[in-house]
């Protein structure tokens, strides 16, 4: 069988290439096999990635066992948690495009035959998938798995027995409100995340891992295996074997990630109550594969999909509970009638064939479709005079009493000023906090307003205040919030012209967000100017990035 890599490995003209591989220690026999890249986001900064070095070895062994030649290269993998609430967060979403570029460049420069994508956290997973979609070779993804949760039965803010990393920031607000002591706060810091792995709640990291499995680009059952379980190493080995089969059968990533696979992911995200960031990332993955997917499709596709899994922050369960209940496959089995089960997966089988082996082991964790946690979907797209191009919220994480919210605007020009104001007690119940200049261009980098919302929840204002922004949120946010407001302030969006005291209505149930009795055309006569100054990579990012409603992508081809 002839492989793409053979184009640069055969004949006297490419003796230099063979010599370079032999200098790496590869044998003549190995150079006749398919060359499989392992794109590894390992680092010792991010707890979701520490396990990846060991996993890469098992992937190599799987590739070799199946008759492939493994080669490995690295890419960056920044930690959202460490970057949260300061200048570093402006680099997190832009890092997604950097990772995609790394994958594309290494695969194309070395004419690889297939690739295993090994990463765990928020922007790393979509970045790798975006890069792989561009080159459209056989590909398979595997994550490092979630951490185990911390155990906290007494005074648990989520109502169960488990806590996760996001509980720490919420507890800062509780500490400020004197609801907990310094000693209790320190205990939470020391015990919320007891092991390596991606944070144990349904944040963006675990959301995107689950959606990769839902799209069929990951072996069934892999996404939710805890990082510290031996089964994760077995999944790595099996992924190594599977990629060689995909190469032999010429099954490419765009054969698997199609419009139907993306629709399955959108429905699963809604049923899980997954991260709002999934909207950005699925749009970006679609763009990289030239698939026609728009923000409007999220509302259409998820219509009628109800919330079936109450995971932190929208409930008391963690990824560990979800794993033990059967994980993504069990959830998809419950909603099988809604899905495109003829979609091809990386096993070589269809989703329907994979789901024949699925079993829901806990209807308390994964509800039957006839008995949802909430009748509303986990993700909602809002429109109105504040967001004519759309905004995103997470109804599954919004308290029932705040699904319809109306209040006076409290304006902040940046995340930093909002955090200062909240900590100084400026925000009162009944207000709509507006944080602007934090979109993809205006931030730049569309940082998360995670800390601001978590502080409000910890202060007891989660259902008494609504926070809206042209920035974004973490998958671990709860309370009343709306992000991704488009157009953003720097694009002359309506959010730029809101003023303190404006009455704002947020109707999550009906998908509306409006400023009442505000004449935006009149206010636009005095042009709004954003004074943000940036240099370095963020300068180029801000110049080229599209709006959040288009996935906040750096375009890589000209739309026809």
């Amino acid at each position: 069988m002839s492989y793409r890599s053979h184009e640069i490995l055969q004949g006297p003209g490419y003796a230099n290439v063979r010599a370079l591989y032999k200098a790496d220690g590869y044998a003549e026999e190995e150079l006749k096999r398919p060359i499989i890249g392992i794109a590894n986001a390992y680092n010792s900064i991010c707890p979701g990635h520490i396990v990846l070095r060991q996993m890469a070895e098992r992937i190599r062994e799987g590739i070799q066992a199946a008759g492939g030649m493994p080669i490995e290269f690295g890419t960056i993998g920044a930690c959202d948690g460490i970057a949260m609430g300061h200048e570093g967060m402006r680099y997190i979403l832009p890092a997604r495009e950097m990772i995609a570029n790394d994958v594309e460049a290494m695969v194309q420069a070395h004419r690889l035959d297939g690739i295993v994508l090994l990463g765990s956290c928020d922007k790393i997973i979509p970045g790798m998938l975006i890069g792989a979609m561009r080159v459209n070779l056989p590909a398979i993804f595997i994550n490092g798995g979630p951490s185990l949760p911390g155990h906290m039965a007494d005074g648990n803010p989520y109502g169960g027995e488990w806590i996760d990393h996001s509980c720490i920031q919420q507890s800062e607000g509780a500490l400020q409100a004197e609801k907990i002591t310094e000693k209790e706060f320190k205990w939470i810091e020391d015990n919320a995340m007891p092991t390596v792995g991606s944070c144990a709640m349904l944040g963006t990291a675990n959301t995107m891992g689950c959606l990769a499995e839902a799209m069929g680009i990951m072996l069934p059952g892999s996404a939710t295996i805890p990082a510290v379980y031996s089964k994760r190493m077995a999944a790595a080995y099996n992924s190594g074997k599977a990629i060689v089969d995909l190469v032999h059968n010429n099954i490419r990533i765009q054969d698997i990630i199609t419009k139907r696979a993306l629709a399955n992911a959108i429905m699963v995200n809604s049923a899980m109550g997954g991260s709002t960031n999934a909207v950005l990332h699925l749009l970006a993955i679609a763009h990289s594969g030239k698939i026609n997917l728009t923000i409007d499709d999220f509302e259409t596709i998820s219509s009628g999909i109800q919330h079936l899994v109450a995971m932190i922050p929208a409930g008391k369960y963690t990824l560990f509970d979800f794993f033990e209940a059967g994980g993504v496959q069990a959830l998809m089995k419950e909603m099988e009638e809604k899905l495109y089960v003829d979609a091809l997966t990386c096993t070589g089988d269809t989703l329907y064939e994979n789901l024949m082996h699925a079993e829901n082991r806990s209807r308390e964790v994964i509800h039957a479709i006839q008995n949802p946690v909430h009748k509303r979907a986990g993700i909602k797209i809002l429109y109105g005079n504040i967001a004519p191009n759309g905004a995103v919220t997470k109804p599954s994480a919004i308290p029932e009493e705040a699904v319809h919210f109306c209040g006076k605007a409290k304006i902040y020009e940046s995340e930093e000023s909002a955090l200062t104001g909240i900590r100084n007690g400026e925000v009162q119940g009944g207000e709509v906090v507006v944080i602007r200049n934090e979109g993809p261009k205006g931030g730049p980098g569309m940082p998360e307003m995670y800390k601001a919302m978590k502080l409000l929840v910890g202060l007891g204002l989660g259902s008494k205040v609504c926070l809206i922004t042209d920035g974004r949120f973490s998958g671990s946010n709860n309370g009343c919030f709306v992000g991704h407001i488009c157009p953003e302030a720097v694009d002359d969006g309506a959010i730029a012209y809101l003023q303190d005291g404006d009455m704002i209505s947020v109707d999550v149930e009906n998908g509306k967000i409006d400023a009442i009795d505000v004449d935006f055309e009149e206010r636009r006569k005095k042009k709004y100017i954003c004074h943000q100054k940036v240099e370095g990579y963020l300068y180029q990012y801000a110049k080229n990035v599209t709006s959040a409603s288009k996935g906040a992508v750096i375009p890589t081809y000209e739309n026809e």
Side-chain angles (χ1 to χ4, degrees):
M1 183 174 181
S2 179
Y3 305 112
R4 187 172 87 139
S5 59
H6 287 177
E7 298 170 7
I8 61 168
L9 282 172
Q10 295 179 343
Y14 286 111
N16 62 316
V17 176
R18 295 192 298 274
L20 291 169
Y21 275 122
K22 289 174 182 177
D24 289 333
Y26 291 103
E28 189 87 39
E29 175 194 348
E30 291 179 284
L31 299 182
K32 299 174 183 177
R33 302 174 181 177
I35 300 180
I36 310 296
I38 304 170
N40 189 353
Y42 165 80
N43 61 62
S44 59
I45 300 173
C46 180
H49 289 174
I50 288 179
V51 71
L52 301 186
R53 177 181 283 173
Q54 188 178 359
M55 286 182 65
E57 288 304 311
R58 291 296 285 146
I59 292 168
R60 293 177 69 92
E61 290 165 2
I63 292 169
Q64 289 169 328
M69 173 180 145
I71 61 174
E72 185 179 344
F73 63 89
T75 185
I76 62 170
C79 178
D80 287 46
I82 295 173
M84 196 72 68
H86 56 81
E87 190 67 20
M89 178 48 71
R90 302 189 189 283
Y91 285 86
I92 294 297
L93 183 59
R96 184 188 71 181
E97 315 310 306
M98 297 169 73
I99 293 163
N101 292 341
D102 285 351
V103 171
E104 177 188 357
M106 290 297 285
V107 168
Q108 295 292 62
H110 301 102
R111 314 310 292 162
L112 305 185
D113 299 305
I115 187 160
V116 180
L117 308 164
L118 177 60
S120 276
C121 293
D122 300 34
K123 312 308 168 289
I124 294 86
I125 296 174
M128 287 182 160
L129 293 175
I130 290 166
M133 287 287 279
R134 290 180 193 169
V135 299
N136 193 26
L137 290 176
I140 194 167
F141 174 78
I142 182 161
N143 63 345
S147 69
L148 293 180
H151 189 251
M152 180 180 170
D154 297 331
N156 189 306
Y158 299 119
E161 293 193 9
W162 304 107
I163 58 172
D164 73 295
H165 177 265
S166 71
C167 184
I168 300 170
Q169 196 63 60
Q170 186 168 320
S171 298
E172 183 193 341
L175 177 65
Q176 184 173 329
E178 298 182 348
K179 295 179 180 180
I180 61 173
T181 65
E182 288 273 4
K183 183 178 180 181
E184 289 170 324
F185 181 75
K186 184 63 164 62
W187 186 93
I188 292 171
E189 175 186 332
D190 291 342
N191 293 277
M193 194 166 178
T195 74
V196 298
S198 49
C199 301
M201 76 292 189
L202 189 59
T204 307
N206 289 320
T207 292
M208 292 311 299
C210 289
L211 297 191
E213 185 176 329
M215 285 186 283
I217 199 64
M218 191 176 193
L219 291 180
S222 297
T224 58
I225 302 169
V228 293
Y229 271 32
S230 56
K231 286 183 178 180
R232 181 141 297 284
M233 295 304 146
Y237 177 82
N238 289 330
S239 296
K241 291 187 67 177
I243 186 60
V244 180
D245 288 339
L246 290 170
V247 171
H248 285 158
N249 292 305
N250 196 29
I251 298 175
R252 301 173 179 235
I253 189 170
Q254 288 190 29
D255 298 323
I256 296 170
I257 299 184
T258 62
K259 179 75 174 279
R260 288 188 162 208
L262 288 163
N264 285 342
I266 290 169
M267 287 186 275
V268 168
N269 191 54
S270 198
M272 288 193 307
S275 172
T276 51
N277 288 320
V279 177
L280 287 173
H281 299 326
L282 293 177
L283 286 170
I285 291 166
H287 170 81
S288 65
K290 300 182 180 179
I291 298 169
N292 182 23
L293 183 75
T294 71
I295 193 169
D296 297 333
D297 291 327
F298 281 78
E299 193 63 26
T300 304
I301 292 168
S302 62
S303 177
I305 303 296
Q306 299 172 326
H307 183 211
L308 301 181
V309 191
M311 277 187 277
I312 293 174
K316 65 182 182 180
Y317 298 111
T318 67
L319 262 289
F320 181 65
D321 297 305
F322 187 45
F323 164 72
E324 291 205 318
V328 176
Q329 298 297 300
L331 174 59
M332 295 180 86
K333 186 69 174 178
E334 289 293 346
M335 52 189 298
E336 186 173 5
E337 63 192 59
K338 303 281 188 179
L339 301 173
Y340 295 104
V341 294
D342 60 343
L344 181 67
T345 75
C346 65
T347 63
D349 295 327
T350 64
L351 177 61
Y352 175 80
E353 291 169 310
N354 290 346
L355 292 180
M356 291 175 66
H357 310 292
E359 177 189 1
N360 185 352
R361 296 190 288 271
S362 174
R363 284 267 168 81
E364 289 184 13
V365 177
I366 304 173
H367 285 223
I369 200 166
Q370 301 83 5
N371 179 37
V373 178
H374 296 110
K375 291 186 177 180
R376 54 184 182 267
I379 292 290
K380 187 75 174 176
I381 309 300
L382 278 61
Y383 297 93
N385 63 5
I386 294 176
N389 293 346
V392 182
T393 191
K394 183 175 175 176
S396 58
I398 297 177
E400 197 67 40
E401 61 270 28
V403 172
H404 301 274
F405 196 99
C406 191
K408 291 183 178 181
K410 179 77 171 179
I411 309 293
Y412 291 101
E413 301 295 340
S414 67
E415 178 191 15
E416 291 81 4
S417 62
L419 287 170
T420 299
I422 293 167
R423 285 169 173 150
N424 289 340
E426 294 177 1
V427 176
Q428 306 299 317
E431 293 181 323
V432 176
V433 176
V434 180
I435 306 178
R436 60 193 178 200
N437 303 313
E438 299 292 7
K441 297 179 184 178
M446 204 179 184
E448 293 179 352
M449 303 299 104
Y450 166 85
K451 278 200 171 188
M453 193 66 240
K454 279 293 183 183
L455 281 171
L456 290 168
V457 171
L459 288 165
L461 296 172
S463 62
K464 299 175 183 177
V465 167
C466 187
L467 195 162
I468 70 172
T469 179
D470 52 7
R472 58 191 180 86
F473 290 94
S474 166
S476 59
N477 275 120
N478 55 325
C480 185
F481 60 93
V482 180
H484 306 209
I485 287 176
C486 291
E488 61 175 292
V490 77
D491 276 341
D492 204 43
I495 190 173
Y497 297 95
L498 291 173
Q499 297 174 1
D500 282 327
D502 286 343
M503 192 62 66
I504 296 175
S505 172
V506 179
D507 184 349
V508 173
E509 185 174 4
N510 294 301
K512 296 183 180 296
I513 179 168
D514 291 290
I516 301 170
D517 296 328
V518 173
D519 187 342
F520 285 111
E521 292 310 308
E522 179 65 27
R523 290 186 182 179
R524 277 193 172 93
K525 290 179 180 178
K526 185 178 180 181
K527 188 76 172 176
Y528 178 83
I529 300 174
C530 176
H531 296 286
Q532 181 71 270
K533 292 182 179 179
V534 291
E535 297 178 344
Y537 171 53
L538 292 184
Y539 174 82
Q540 289 297 332
Y541 182 84
K543 287 287 185 184
N544 293 289
V545 69
T546 63
S547 74
S549 64
K550 294 184 178 180
V553 301
I554 303 292
T556 52
Y557 56 89
E558 187 171 346
N559 283 317
E560 297 178 355

Coordinates of all heavy atoms in Angstrom, one line a residue, residues 101 188-189 271 370 434:
N101 N -2.6 26.1 13.9 CA -1.5 26.3 13.0 C -0.3 25.3 13.2 O 0.3 24.9 12.3 CB -0.9 27.8 13.2 CG -1.9 28.8 12.8 OD1 -2.9 28.5 12.0 ND2 -1.8 30.0 13.2
I188 N -11.1 24.5 51.3 CA -11.6 24.3 49.9 C -10.4 24.5 48.9 O -10.3 23.7 48.0 CB -12.7 25.4 49.6 CG1 -13.9 25.0 50.5 CG2 -13.1 25.4 48.2 CD1 -15.0 26.1 50.5
E189 N -9.6 25.5 49.1 CA -8.4 25.6 48.2 C -7.6 24.4 48.2 O -7.1 24.0 47.1 CB -7.6 26.8 48.7 CG -6.3 27.0 48.0 CD -5.4 28.1 48.6 OE1 -5.9 29.0 49.2 OE2 -4.2 28.0 48.4
A271 N -28.1 18.7 25.8 CA -28.6 17.7 26.7 C -27.7 17.7 28.0 O -28.2 17.4 29.1 CB -28.7 16.4 26.1
Q370 N -37.7 11.2 28.7 CA -39.1 11.5 29.1 C -39.1 12.1 30.5 O -40.2 12.6 31.0 CB -39.9 10.2 29.2 CG -40.0 9.4 27.9 CD -38.8 8.5 27.6 OE1 -37.9 8.4 28.4 NE2 -38.8 7.9 26.4
V434 N -23.2 45.2 33.1 CA -22.7 45.2 31.7 C -21.2 45.4 31.7 O -20.7 46.4 32.1 CB -23.4 46.4 30.9 CG1 -22.9 46.3 29.4 CG2 -24.9 46.3 30.9

